Amino acid sequence: MSLYKQQLRRFAREIVKPCKHKESCTSQKRLLTNNPLPGDVVKVGVLGVPMHFGQGKPGVRNGPKAIRDAGLLQRLSDHVGLEVNDYGDLDIAHGAHVDDVSKDGNWTIKNSRACGTANKKLADAVYNTLQTNDICVNLGGDHSMAVGSIFGHSQARPNLSVLWVDAHPDLNNPTTSPSGNIHGMPLHFLLKDLENKRTPISDFDWCKSCVSSPNIGFIAIRDIDPGEIAIMKRYNIPHCSIREIDRNGIAHCMEKILDMINPSGNRPLHVSFDIDSVDPGIAPSTGTPVRGGLSYREAMYVTEEVARTGSLSAFDLVEVNPELDPKRAEATAEVAVDVITHALGLSIRDTDYRRFPHS
């Protein structure tokens, strides 16, 4: 990003729309730009979301534990200026994997009752977490949890921009989904442009559309269903496929998407990061792997640029499933930890504000 654009964003943040949470946002920006001032503390709330009803492979509900076991909290506590509050896992029922299949004419949706209930609980938890924290980190769990995390975030801090890092755009609805799994549909419930076309599902009546299509951008998509393509074209949703990343480089793509979804830098940023955006050769323990994904450094660059915006307000890390490819589950969880810590500004290159043991 050019120096001019960086300066323009800082200027816009100050004059275009003052932040309602100015004190916390100011300290957050100082940390995330690796320039904290003495006494600055950024509060990060961590929520475990053992959600698995949005897809068909057991084991993803153990994702939060796998990520914590891979050292997330220790990594965060190793840095000065960061106060971490771990609120544990949400109490989500873990009964039979498939509890209901709703059918109505031409469409099918699986586990709508369980997903709707769990997402409402998550939305309330995210809202409450952001009352006392600068950033909320949500550990999934399958990607259906984005319904609750983004809606709850929007209730605490409206006018969001959303960066969706995923092999799939998850724009299906019950009439277009090949599987009926809700982890491929979360944006159907969230996009304002689709509000009049929304499938009436009573289990999600509590969730109101809260994101406009110009303010959501996709990175690393490469497995897209026909119905999703039609939506992206119709509403001109910002995106950079993995092909465009290959052609133009991750730096160009990140600058392009961030400028499109948050041009003035004054919107709170929600990042929803599916681990399947990363190539399965690096992060194999996930339910819907697609070859040809982000390299390790590309994934880290994405989240380093998120940190540089100074706008991060909530972050989802989803679809780590330690029961798939168990021999490499730990490696997948370690990549997830790196993704989260880089998004919070704790780059592998940053040693200025690390706590080192006394010799």
Side-chain angles (χ1 to χ4, degrees), residues 234-298:
R234 178 167 185 177
Y235 299 107
N236 197 28
I237 298 177
H239 64 278
C240 280
S241 68
I242 200 70
R243 174 175 168 77
E244 187 168 350
I245 293 172
D246 290 341
R247 182 180 179 85
N248 297 314
I250 192 65
H252 167 84
C253 291
M254 279 300 294
E255 180 175 354
K256 168 187 168 181
I257 293 298
L258 290 173
D259 281 346
M260 292 179 75
I261 67 174
N262 194 12
S264 299
N266 63 318
R267 292 176 177 271
L269 177 61
H270 188 113
V271 177
S272 205
F273 195 108
D274 190 321
I275 200 68
D276 74 16
S277 63
V278 182
D279 190 83
I282 301 168
S285 297
T286 188
T288 51
V290 184
R291 287 186 293 180
L294 296 172
S295 70
Y296 177 84
R297 265 310 304 158
E298 286 170 338

Side-chain angles (χ1 to χ4, degrees), residues 330-344:
E330 185 176 349
T332 303
E334 288 172 351
V335 173
V337 170
D338 289 346
V339 164
I340 296 167
T341 55
H342 281 58
L344 294 173

Side-chain angles (χ1 to χ4, degrees), residues 94-257:
H94 296 145
H97 187 67
V98 175
D99 69 339
D100 67 300
V101 177
S102 302
K103 296 182 178 180
D104 185 0
N106 297 324
W107 57 267
T108 300
I109 186 169
K110 299 176 182 177
N111 302 312
S112 64
R113 188 186 319 121
C115 282
T117 301
N119 269 293
K120 177 61 168 69
K121 185 174 291 188
L122 174 58
D124 293 341
V126 169
Y127 176 86
N128 291 331
T129 298
L130 288 172
Q131 302 308 302
T132 54
N133 292 272
D134 302 302
I135 303 171
C136 181
V137 173
N138 305 298
L139 309 178
D142 72 68
H143 217 164
S144 67
M145 62 173 269
V147 179
S149 67
I150 293 176
F151 180 75
H153 188 185
S154 74
Q155 298 308 290
R157 299 174 188 173
N159 302 311
L160 299 181
S161 58
V162 176
L163 181 66
W164 197 270
V165 189
D166 199 330
H168 317 85
D170 295 344
L171 279 165
N172 271 308
N173 62 60
T175 66
T176 65
S177 171
S179 67
N181 289 328
I182 298 178
H183 78 157
M185 310 181 197
L187 292 174
H188 174 66
F189 300 99
L190 295 166
L191 282 183
K192 293 179 180 179
D193 305 82
L194 302 178
E195 190 168 10
N196 294 331
K197 302 173 179 62
R198 184 163 154 176
T199 305
I201 301 171
S202 60
D203 301 302
F204 287 88
D205 283 349
W206 55 268
C207 178
K208 309 304 178 185
S209 303
C210 57
V211 180
S212 299
S213 57
N215 302 120
I216 182 169
F218 297 105
I219 286 283
I221 52 175
R222 56 193 184 277
D223 185 10
I224 312 171
D225 293 325
E228 296 174 315
I229 293 174
I231 291 173
M232 292 176 69
K233 286 183 175 179
R234 178 167 185 177
Y235 299 107
N236 197 28
I237 298 177
H239 64 278
C240 280
S241 68
I242 200 70
R243 174 175 168 77
E244 187 168 350
I245 293 172
D246 290 341
R247 182 180 179 85
N248 297 314
I250 192 65
H252 167 84
C253 291
M254 279 300 294
E255 180 175 354
K256 168 187 168 181
I257 293 298

Side-chain angles (χ1 to χ4, degrees), residues 35 47 155 214 284:
N35 186 31
L47 293 173
Q155 298 308 290

